[in-house]
Amino acid sequence: MAVKTALTVGDVAKRSGVPVSTIHFYEAEGLIHGWRTAGNQRRYERAVLRYVALIQVSQRVGLSLRTIKDFFATIPTDRVLSAQDWHRLAEPWRALIDARIETLRRLRDEVDSCIGCGCLSLTDCPLRNPEDRLAGQGAGPRILMRPPAKSL
């Protein structure tokens, strides 16, 4: 069986598990790229499936489309990337993903005792902010959003 080198939008949607409208949205946002045939139909390289998969997984862990698009902009399009290329390109994401993991770990470990409690009166509660003392540090849950402690 011959492998199709150019995929239709329907092919991409079916293979990636996202609606056609999402494929069109990703293209309109500049996350993926295709071309039009002489008959004005959209076509995509097979590699677009990797991009769509990376978008889906990245969004699932809370990365913004802007962050994803900025990452994609660093990927050379004039050649096939080597494993070394991918490792170099992914390095900035490691710190971002590690920070996301640390935030999720804190949420899991520090808030589970408060869920359903409603008291927010414990002195060690990560949501407690008596007299709004943390307002000077900025908006949001300041204790949960503090930078992770450096490990030795």
Side-chain angles (χ1 to χ4, degrees), residues 127-142:
L127 299 177
R128 188 169 181 268
N129 183 11
E131 299 169 9
D132 202 20
R133 287 186 220 143
L134 300 175
Q137 296 178 17
R142 303 314 308 165

Side-chain angles (χ1 to χ4, degrees), residues 33-142:
H33 305 284
W35 70 92
R36 291 200 176 274
T37 66
N40 203 30
Q41 296 175 332
R42 299 297 302 149
R43 294 291 185 266
Y44 300 89
E45 294 291 339
R46 293 181 56 75
V48 78
L49 295 170
R50 290 188 195 109
Y51 285 80
V52 173
L54 189 54
I55 293 166
Q56 289 177 284
V57 172
S58 299
Q59 283 191 293
R60 192 167 291 149
V61 298
L63 298 180
S64 70
L65 288 178
R66 167 56 48 196
T67 299
I68 298 165
K69 184 176 180 179
D70 290 348
F71 172 69
F72 285 173
T74 67
I75 299 173
T77 57
D78 60 341
R79 61 187 169 83
V80 175
L81 298 180
S82 68
Q84 293 165 330
D85 289 330
W86 278 110
H87 181 74
R88 179 183 50 78
L89 291 167
E91 191 61 36
W93 270 32
R94 287 188 201 337
L96 184 64
I97 292 168
D98 286 345
R100 185 71 46 141
I101 290 168
E102 176 62 17
T103 300
L104 289 169
R105 185 202 58 76
R106 280 189 193 158
L107 185 62
R108 180 199 67 207
D109 294 349
E110 296 180 21
V111 179
D112 63 347
S113 63
C114 292
I115 295 174
C117 168
C119 74
L120 301 179
S121 63
L122 301 172
T123 57
D124 62 348
C125 177
L127 299 177
R128 188 169 181 268
N129 183 11
E131 299 169 9
D132 202 20
R133 287 186 220 143
L134 300 175
Q137 296 178 17
R142 303 314 308 165

Side-chain angles (χ1 to χ4, degrees), residues 7 9 11-12 23 25 44 54 58 65 95 114:
L7 303 175
V9 68
D11 293 334
V12 175
I23 302 303
F25 174 76
Y44 300 89
L54 189 54
S58 299
L65 288 178
C114 292

Side-chain angles (χ1 to χ4, degrees), residues 16-29:
S16 64
V18 300
V20 167
S21 60
T22 300
I23 302 303
H24 288 302
F25 174 76
Y26 289 164
E27 188 168 12
E29 292 296 311

